[in-house]
């Protein structure tokens, strides 16, 4: 770890290594002596064997002739003695004294001035210079007691350095007493005392061993820190300067006094206490520390390397570095520290002892951040297109160590910790660091790997805490459990051939018929891998080109069908792991079937463990409650104007396409995103900056999402579920329309108008349909305004709307015939087709996510099975002919691909039109929505087609119809009709659609 930067000297708080430029005055010395009277008395009581000499030391303090040199000599001797021996007998006594000193420190630290700190140091020097060993003890005690009172201010107190001629011969008894008294002092006390001791050491250095150095530092701070000494068999002596020590024996104090008045002391290195100071300690315990790595771990400090660990519930912590083993001092409440005489931070591990077990592990707080400046810059700009690689939980090898990197965006949090199965859901010891002003918190945890559960414990601005699932979790627990799961993918794809050719033609110029599926209920109980063995074969047999999966992202309530998402980056765990889902997509691709997925960027639920007020304030949702609350679904709308939120969603769209090879995204509820007044009454919304009702932030988001996805993933398609007449949903983003907006950039749009009108027409009794004929023809007025999909989706077969077959009037035969005629008309109409599961075999009941399609209707033992199987056979044949006939899809978005034959035969309930391919080869589609057979019905046709062959007849017997068909080619007659030079005569079956192709 890197040390904290040295103080410049101009800041109000400096570092332990700052220099002391001048000596205290006599008046300051006397004042300080008075202030240290109470600590000195306590020290005198504790030093029972030396009470008499303590009195002499107290009297000696009034002697102004005591010099800084004597202080240095006493400190030097104390350090050397402590290095050799740390008496255990005085530990308990020292702890009691230290408790009193700590109380004094907390109140005095705020008030201490520079003068007071200087006086305290001078008093300690004078006391230490006494020839009486007991008096030296009192002096050391006074210095240790006064130093905490000065705390940070004392660090910067101006004072003269100790004289050059320091004595190394002060009595060792004083050193022992100093060590005992200093034992439990807090970090701030150790820093102040350490300065005095280190000053003496540098001015009059003496030869010392490696074992001596930590003892010296302990003398300056608290003695137990000296427990962190190297337990080696052979210890070499460290080089040291000795000249000054030789020239200053203990008996030459007067000479040293004179020398100190004449010689300017050299600059010195001041040893510091390794313990975590009170402020950092409180923040770490409270979960509000923004930079734990600056406190915990290993840090170069004056005097060596400070090791600090925060291991709640641990009995002991030992640093292991090669042959070195150093047990850290237990500072209480899970904190451990020690100062080792090392020049550089070694490669080390921690041996942590808990009750009943010992764990050897890497120190999480010795690692540099796993995220770089580029990641943070892109996140801040909202342009990190691979956000899932930066945030979330990622098993990885970092600086040669395996573990998991956790990162989360929570800019309003006062602190963030990681809790999970690896720490028994107590995140106290796993505090994350804030990376600059990015709002991102990060922590690399060694030895934590795949499969572990986790959440983020966030301290909110008001100080309360909340436990949240990871917004970028790539795997979750099975609902109703809500934890995130650490995961990585090892899946090897086998769909390279599919990916290579999927971009050969854009979706709107290719065959595109979609089977919509709710995976959890298609075959209830099947997993992703079990579905992969059944679904591809079923869809391929029916001839669909694509499946559309209702939302796959994790959601807590199954009854929402996945449209209230909490885990935007995680496939639902109900059916298996993320790699299991990859397996399903792979198998569909290998069967030649594209995979579309419903994607829900409009809103999210209010669950307290998910995104709502994620870090204590509105974050993913808009800060304005009126803008945030979705009026229809009780959910919250995303704040599309915030860079990081927009990035979260754009990257999510890319994620599904790149990580799971999804071929297209059907974007849910686009209309609710585009309008500020969507489902809102006057006064419940605020106009945009132009005074309009358009949500400009949502428009910009959708444009960016589409542009990014199409740029990064060739061959994909985005589809908008947009129910209004918004101009330019499928227009390119850089092309402005009449409204002044650029296009939204979608590839296709659901034609909600066609769906609504056509189903309403079919629900009328045939005798009344002539009054609603325009409901079937109006779609051609706007058919080429966008690139359309004709959707008969799940929304149309639930909540009392009845299934498709049940919408049809008449008896059971007429209902099935109506469905067949409608499907034939739909497949021939300009636009792509989408059909929800169960409707392909005329299921009579509404769909329920609880039990799925009524597969029993296809059981050969069921009496009406042929009726249902006939409808499914028709769907298969429609798809087969459709895919083989370019006229039905090649010019779907070009008016040149469509010509009316008759669109106004309302009294007959007949519609007839031509579909054309780029070469002009036609398909003639004729629908009779009356329950009567129409003999010799004349239709105008192109004169250049010599004969017409029936390709599809929905009334065929194999579909369950009356079998009014045309087995022979139909030849045109030269009689003009419907404005054309030739015509044919057909017998139109009742409630049926017929397709004819050139023979």
């Amino acid at each position: 770890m890197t040390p904290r930067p040295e103080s410049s000297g101009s800041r109000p708080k400096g570092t332990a290594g700052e220099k002391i430029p001048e000596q205290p005055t006599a008046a300051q010395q006397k004042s300080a002596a008075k202030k240290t009277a109470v600590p000195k008395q306590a020290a005198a009581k504790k030093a029972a064997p030396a009470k008499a000499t303590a009195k002499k030391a107290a009297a000696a303090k009034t002697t102004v002739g005591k010099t800084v040199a004597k202080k240095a000599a006493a400190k030097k001797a104390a350090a050397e003695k402590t290095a050799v021996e740390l008496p255990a007998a005085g530990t308990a006594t020292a702890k009691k004294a230290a408790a009193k000193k700590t109380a004094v420190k907390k109140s005095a630290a705020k008030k201490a001035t520079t003068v007071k700190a200087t006086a305290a140091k001078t008093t300690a020097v004078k006391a230490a210079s006494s020839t009486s060993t007991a008096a030296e003890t009192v002096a050391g005690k006074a210095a240790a007691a006064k130093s905490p009172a000065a705390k940070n201010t004392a660090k910067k107190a101006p004072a003269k350095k100790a004289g050059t001629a320091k004595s190394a011969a002060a009595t060792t008894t004083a050193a022992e007493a100093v060590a005992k008294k200093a034992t439990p002092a807090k970090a701030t006390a150790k820093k102040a005392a350490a300065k005095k001791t280190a000053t003496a050491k540098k001015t009059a250095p003496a030869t010392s061993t490696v074992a001596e150095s930590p003892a010296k530092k302990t003398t300056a701070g608290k003695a137990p820190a000296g427990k962190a000494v190297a337990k080696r068999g052979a210890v070499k002596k460290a080089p040291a300067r000795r000249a000054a020590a030789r020239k200053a024996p203990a008996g030459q104090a007067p000479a040293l006094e004179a020398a100190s008045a004449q010689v300017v002391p050299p600059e010195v290195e001041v040893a510091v206490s390794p313990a975590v100071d009170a402020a950092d300690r409180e923040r770490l315990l409270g979960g509000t520390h923004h930079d734990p790595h600056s406190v915990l771990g290993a840090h170069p400090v004056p005097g060596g390397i400070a090791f600090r660990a925060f291991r709640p519930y641990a009995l002991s912590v030992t640093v292991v570095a090669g042959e070195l083993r150093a047990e850290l001092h237990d500072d209480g409440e899970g904190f451990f520290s020690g100062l080792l005489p090392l020049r550089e931070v070694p490669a080390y591990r921690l041996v942590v002892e808990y009750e009943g077990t010992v764990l050897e592990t890497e120190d999480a707080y010795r690692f540099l951040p796993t995220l770089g400046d580029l990641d943070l810059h892109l996140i801040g700009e909202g342009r990190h297109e691979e956000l899932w690689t930066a945030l979330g939980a990622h098993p990885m090898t970092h600086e040669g160590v395996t573990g998991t990197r956790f990162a989360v965006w929570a800019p309003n949090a006062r602190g963030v910790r990681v809790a999970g199965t690896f720490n028994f859901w107590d995140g106290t010891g796993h505090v994350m660091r804030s990376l600059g002003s990015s709002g991102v918190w990060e922590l690399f945890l060694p030895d934590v790997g795949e499969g572990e559960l986790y959440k983020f414990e966030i301290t909110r601005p008001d100080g309360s805490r909340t436990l949240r699932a990871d917004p970028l979790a790539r795997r979750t627990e099975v609902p109703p459990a809500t934890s995130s799961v650490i995961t990585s993918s090892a899946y090897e794809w086998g769909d390279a051939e599919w990916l290579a050719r999927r971009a050969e033609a854009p979706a709107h110029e290719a065959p595109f018929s979609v089977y919509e599926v709710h995976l959890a209920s298609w075959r209830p109980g099947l997993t992703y891998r079990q579905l992969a063995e059944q679904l591809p074969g079923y869809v391929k047999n029916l001839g669909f080109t694509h499946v559309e999966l209702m939302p796959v992202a994790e959601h807590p309530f199954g009854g929402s069908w996945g449209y209230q998402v909490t885990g935007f980056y995680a496939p639902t765990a109900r059916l298996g792991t993320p790699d299991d889902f990859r397996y399903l997509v792979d198998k569909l691709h290998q069967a030649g079937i594209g995979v579309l997925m419903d994607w829900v960027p409009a809103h999210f639920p209010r669950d307290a463990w998910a995104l709502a007020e994620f870090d204590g304030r509105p974050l993913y949702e808009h800060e304005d409650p009126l803008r945030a609350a979705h009026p229809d679904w009780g959910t919250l709308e995303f704040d599309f104007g915030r860079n990081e939120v927009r990035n979260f969603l754009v990257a999510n769209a890319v994620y599904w396409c790149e990580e799971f090879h999804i071929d297209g995204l059907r974007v849910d509820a686009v209309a609710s995103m585009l309008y500020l007044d969507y489902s809102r009454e006057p006064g419940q919304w605020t106009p945009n900056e132009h005074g309009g009702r358009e949500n400009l932030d949502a428009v910009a988001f959708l444009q960016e999402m589409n542009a990014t996805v199409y740029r990064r993933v060739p061959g994909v398609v985005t589809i908008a579920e947009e129910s209004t007449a918004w101009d330019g949903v499928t227009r390119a983003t850089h092309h402005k329309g009449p409204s002044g907006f650029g296009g939204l950039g979608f590839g296709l749009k659901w034609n909600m108008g066609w769906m609504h009108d056509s189903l309403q027409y079919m629900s009328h009794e045939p005798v009344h349909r002539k009054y609603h004929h325009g409901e079937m023809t109006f779609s051609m007025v706007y058919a080429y305004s966008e690139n359309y999909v004709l959707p008969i989706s799940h929304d149309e077969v639930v909540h009392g709307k009845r299934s498709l077959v049940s919408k049809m009037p008449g008896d059971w035969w007429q209902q099935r015939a109506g469905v067949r005629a409608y499907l034939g008309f739909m497949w021939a109409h300009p636009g792509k087709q989408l059909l929800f599961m169960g409707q392909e075999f005329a299921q009579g009941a509404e769909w329920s996510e609880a039990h799925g399609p009524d597969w029993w209707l296809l059981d050969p033992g069921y009496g009406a099975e042929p009726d249902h199987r006939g409808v499914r056979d028709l769907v298969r044949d429609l798809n087969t002919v459709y895919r083989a006939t370019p006229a039905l899809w090649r010019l779907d978005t070009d008016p040149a691909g469509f010509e009316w034959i008759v669109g106004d035969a309302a009294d007959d309930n007949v519609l007839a039109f031509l579909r054309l391919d780029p070469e002009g080869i036609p398909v003639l589609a004729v629908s009779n929505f009356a329950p009567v057979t129409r003999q010799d019905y004349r239709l105008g046709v192109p004169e250049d087609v010599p004969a017409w062959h029936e390709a599809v007849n929905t009334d065929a017997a194999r579909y369950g119809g009356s079998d009014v068909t045309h087995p022979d080619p139909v030849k045109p007659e030269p009689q003009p009709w419907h404005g054309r030079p030739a015509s044919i005569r057909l017998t139109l079956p009742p409630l049926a659609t017929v397709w004819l192709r050139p023979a």
Side-chain angles (χ1 to χ4, degrees):
M1 296 299 299
T2 56
R4 287 181 174 175
E6 293 297 329
S7 170
S8 67
S10 62
R11 296 183 291 109
K13 293 184 179 180
T15 64
E18 289 184 279
K19 301 171 181 53
I20 306 173
E22 62 180 294
Q23 192 175 358
T25 65
Q28 291 171 334
Q29 293 172 353
K30 290 179 182 180
S31 175
K34 290 180 182 179
K35 292 183 180 292
T36 55
V38 174
K40 284 189 289 180
Q41 289 172 10
K45 290 179 182 180
K46 303 305 177 185
K51 288 182 180 179
T53 52
K55 294 177 182 179
K56 294 178 184 178
K61 281 184 283 183
T62 60
T63 305
V64 180
K66 293 299 185 238
T67 66
V68 177
K70 288 184 179 181
K71 163 191 150 185
K75 291 300 179 181
K76 179 63 180 178
E80 292 176 342
K81 177 61 181 176
T82 306
V84 177
E85 178 181 7
L86 291 175
T91 303
T93 307
K95 287 181 179 177
K96 293 178 182 178
K100 296 179 181 179
K101 290 185 290 180
T102 302
V104 174
K105 176 204 68 172
K106 289 182 178 177
S107 61
K110 301 177 182 177
K111 303 176 181 179
T113 65
T114 303
V115 174
K116 289 180 182 178
T118 306
K121 294 176 182 176
T122 306
T123 303
V125 170
K126 290 160 64 180
S129 66
S130 172
T131 56
S132 169
T133 58
E136 288 172 312
T137 302
V138 173
K141 171 63 180 169
K146 191 61 189 174
S147 296
K151 205 175 181 182
N152 290 333
T153 308
K155 295 179 186 176
K156 289 163 286 299
K160 270 214 181 289
K161 301 294 182 186
T164 351
K166 301 300 181 184
S167 173
T171 60
T172 60
T173 307
E176 291 174 332
V178 170
K180 294 175 185 177
K181 303 305 177 186
T183 298
K186 297 271 180 173
T188 50
K190 289 189 286 185
K191 292 177 183 175
K195 291 179 182 178
K196 306 183 190 81
T197 304
T199 302
K201 287 190 285 184
K202 273 222 168 180
T203 308
T207 303
S208 63
T209 65
V210 173
E212 286 176 329
S213 183
K216 295 173 187 176
K217 301 171 182 64
T218 305
T219 303
K222 62 188 212 178
K227 289 167 69 177
V229 295
K231 301 178 182 178
R232 288 181 174 175
V235 182
K236 297 182 179 180
K237 291 189 176 182
R241 292 171 292 175
R242 307 179 56 186
R246 292 198 198 99
K247 296 176 183 177
Q252 295 181 5
L256 293 175
E257 241 177 50
S260 67
Q262 300 174 14
V263 181
V264 178
E267 294 188 1
V268 298
E269 181 184 67
V270 182
V272 301
S273 166
V276 176
D277 67 34
D280 285 324
R281 187 179 179 120
E282 182 180 357
R283 292 168 64 199
L284 287 168
L285 287 169
T288 59
H289 207 296
H290 75 285
D291 192 11
H293 292 70
S294 67
V295 178
L296 304 177
H299 298 270
V301 297
I305 304 298
F307 289 85
R308 306 183 189 98
F310 183 29
R311 294 280 174 164
Y313 315 113
L315 302 179
S316 69
V317 176
T318 301
V319 172
V320 178
E323 296 179 2
L324 172 69
R325 292 182 67 88
E327 182 176 335
L328 302 183
H329 177 254
D330 186 348
D331 300 329
E333 296 183 290
F335 291 93
F336 299 82
S337 66
L339 184 63
L340 299 185
L342 304 172
R343 293 180 179 275
E344 297 178 351
V345 176
Y348 71 94
R349 292 173 65 84
L350 299 178
V351 176
V352 186
E353 180 184 359
Y354 296 96
E355 186 174 351
T357 187
V358 176
L359 173 68
E360 181 171 347
T361 182
E362 297 284 350
D363 184 0
Y365 295 95
R366 79 170 181 82
F367 296 96
L368 294 172
T370 55
L371 293 178
D373 290 341
L374 179 60
D375 285 313
L376 300 179
H377 173 74
L378 292 175
I379 290 171
E381 275 198 336
R383 291 291 187 272
H384 202 307
E385 295 176 1
E386 296 180 0
L387 186 66
W388 68 93
T389 65
L391 302 183
H394 291 268
M396 64 189 306
T397 299
H398 180 49
E399 296 181 15
V401 176
T402 58
T404 297
R405 185 272 309 289
F406 296 89
V408 63
W409 178 60
N412 298 311
R414 291 178 59 191
V416 183
R417 303 189 284 204
V418 182
T421 50
F422 44 84
N423 58 17
F424 302 98
W425 293 102
D426 185 344
T428 305
H430 287 150
V431 187
M432 303 180 75
R433 64 177 148 204
S434 175
L435 299 179
S437 61
S438 66
V440 174
W441 300 76
E442 180 264 358
L443 180 64
F444 175 74
L445 288 184
D447 306 321
V448 173
E450 189 169 0
E452 299 277 11
L453 307 183
Y454 72 98
K455 283 186 177 181
F456 293 114
E457 183 185 279
I458 297 173
T459 302
R460 294 179 280 210
D462 63 0
S464 62
R465 296 195 186 100
T466 178
L467 201 60
R468 297 293 176 131
D470 183 0
L472 278 95
R474 291 169 294 127
R475 183 180 173 190
T476 68
E477 280 191 287
V478 178
T482 59
S483 295
S484 304
V485 183
I486 299 172
T487 189
S488 62
S489 176
Y491 188 76
E492 296 183 6
W493 290 89
D495 62 349
E497 182 181 348
W498 168 267
L499 297 180
R501 61 183 176 83
R502 73 176 177 182
E504 290 177 354
H508 62 279
E509 295 180 355
F512 198 94
S513 60
V514 183
Y515 183 64
E516 187 184 18
V517 178
H518 181 252
L519 284 176
S521 67
W522 185 74
R523 294 280 191 180
L526 297 188
T527 65
Y528 289 128
R529 289 186 177 267
Q530 291 168 336
L531 285 165
E533 303 307 315
Q534 298 188 32
L535 183 60
Y538 182 81
V539 175
K540 184 175 182 178
N541 178 264
L542 289 181
F544 287 98
T545 64
H546 291 75
V547 293
E548 180 177 315
L549 309 179
M550 290 171 67
V552 174
E554 193 58 272
H555 50 282
F557 177 48
S560 76
W561 312 330
Y563 291 98
Q564 294 195 5
V565 179
T566 51
F568 281 80
Y569 284 78
T572 179
R574 293 172 174 85
L575 307 180
T577 68
D579 276 356
D580 292 339
F581 179 62
R582 287 181 174 91
Y583 180 80
L584 171 60
V585 175
D586 199 359
K587 287 298 184 182
L588 285 163
H589 282 170
Q590 292 177 33
I593 299 163
V595 181
L596 312 175
M597 186 187 83
D598 278 13
W599 185 55
V600 191
H603 62 118
F604 57 91
R606 297 174 180 264
D607 296 77
W609 50 269
L611 296 183
E613 292 192 349
F614 181 75
D615 58 4
R617 291 179 181 169
L619 187 66
Y620 288 92
E621 67 270 39
H622 201 282
E623 62 182 0
D624 180 352
L626 291 179
R627 287 280 299 274
H630 197 291
D632 290 343
W633 304 314
T635 53
L636 295 170
E637 297 182 7
F638 281 103
D639 183 359
F640 303 109
R642 186 161 188 167
N643 287 349
E644 297 90 343
V645 175
R646 190 179 67 249
N647 193 172
F648 173 81
L649 294 170
V650 172
N652 187 240
V654 175
Y655 170 75
W656 288 103
C657 295
E658 291 190 351
E659 291 292 323
F660 294 95
H661 293 196
I662 297 297
D663 301 296
L665 300 172
R666 176 266 193 185
V667 183
D668 182 65
V670 172
S672 72
M673 301 165 65
L674 291 175
Y675 297 97
L676 295 170
D677 62 345
Y678 184 88
S679 288
R680 293 177 171 90
E681 299 297 327
Q684 295 181 336
W685 62 280
T686 303
N688 63 33
E689 60 191 49
H690 306 298
R693 56 195 284 257
E694 300 85 4
N695 187 337
L696 303 181
D697 292 335
V699 171
F701 156 67
L702 291 171
Q703 291 174 329
E704 180 183 346
M705 181 277 296
N706 281 310
T708 304
V709 168
Y710 278 110
R711 171 172 49 82
R712 288 187 61 108
V713 196
V716 301
V717 61
T718 58
I719 308 167
E721 185 214 13
E722 205 283 314
S723 56
T724 73
W726 182 277
D727 174 50
V729 172
T730 58
R731 188 171 62 241
T733 58
H734 60 285
H735 289 167
K736 289 187 177 181
S739 63
F741 288 103
L744 296 182
F746 284 94
L748 298 169
K749 172 184 173 177
W750 272 21
N751 194 334
M752 308 295 283
W754 172 90
M755 176 275 299
H756 177 270
D757 290 347
S758 62
L759 288 180
Q760 184 166 300
Y761 174 86
M762 294 302 298
S763 67
H764 294 305
E765 290 287 344
V767 69
H768 299 139
R769 284 175 178 167
K770 64 181 179 180
Y771 303 111
H772 302 277
H773 195 73
E775 292 173 349
M776 292 298 271
T777 60
F778 181 66
S779 61
M780 291 311 302
V781 173
Y782 59 87
Y784 301 105
S785 61
E786 303 282 3
N787 305 335
Y788 284 115
V789 174
L790 312 178
I792 303 301
S793 72
H794 64 278
D795 278 330
E796 313 318 317
V797 295
V798 291
H799 299 327
K801 295 180 182 178
R802 298 173 294 173
S803 67
L804 183 59
V805 71
S806 298
K807 295 177 190 294
M808 307 299 161
D811 58 23
W812 174 234
W813 187 93
Q814 290 180 332
Q815 286 181 315
R816 289 183 293 114
V819 166
R820 294 194 302 267
Y822 181 75
L823 292 176
F825 170 78
M826 172 181 171
W827 252 253
H829 190 283
K832 312 306 180 182
Q833 303 81 35
L834 180 142
L835 188 66
F836 184 60
M837 64 183 194
Q839 311 315 302
E840 77 275 17
F841 56 82
Q843 172 177 313
E846 288 186 345
W847 168 65
S848 167
E849 78 282 351
H851 59 74
D854 292 335
W855 296 109
W856 57 270
L857 296 173
L858 298 173
D859 187 339
Y862 175 59
E865 179 266 344
D867 298 339
H868 298 281
R869 189 171 297 276
V871 175
R872 190 173 70 169
D873 289 343
L874 170 65
V875 171
R876 178 190 301 110
D877 290 348
L878 288 173
N879 275 323
T880 301
V881 176
Y882 167 79
R883 296 178 70 168
T885 309
L888 294 174
W889 45 263
R890 182 65 176 81
L891 297 178
D892 258 338
T893 61
D894 187 339
F898 178 89
E899 293 180 7
W900 277 114
I901 297 296
V902 55
D904 57 358
D907 290 339
D908 298 334
N909 300 150
V910 172
L911 294 166
F913 52 84
L914 293 173
R915 295 296 309 279
L916 304 165
D917 68 11
E919 286 71 40
I921 300 175
V923 170
L924 174 61
V926 185
S927 296
N928 175 22
F929 292 113
V932 296
T933 302
R934 300 195 182 279
Q935 302 288 340
D936 294 331
Y937 198 85
R938 187 174 293 276
L939 296 167
V941 294
E943 61 179 346
D944 55 349
V945 178
W948 298 86
H949 173 71
E950 189 175 85
V952 171
N953 186 329
T954 65
D955 191 52
R958 65 181 181 277
Y959 305 141
S962 59
D963 208 27
V964 177
T965 60
H966 307 86
D968 301 323
V970 178
K971 295 184 179 181
E973 300 174 0
Q975 182 175 350
W977 204 258
H978 294 140
R980 297 182 179 272
S983 60
I984 58 174
R985 288 183 299 164
L986 292 176
T987 298
L988 301 183
L991 296 173
T993 294
V994 179
W995 294 357
L996 296 105
R997 293 186 297 190

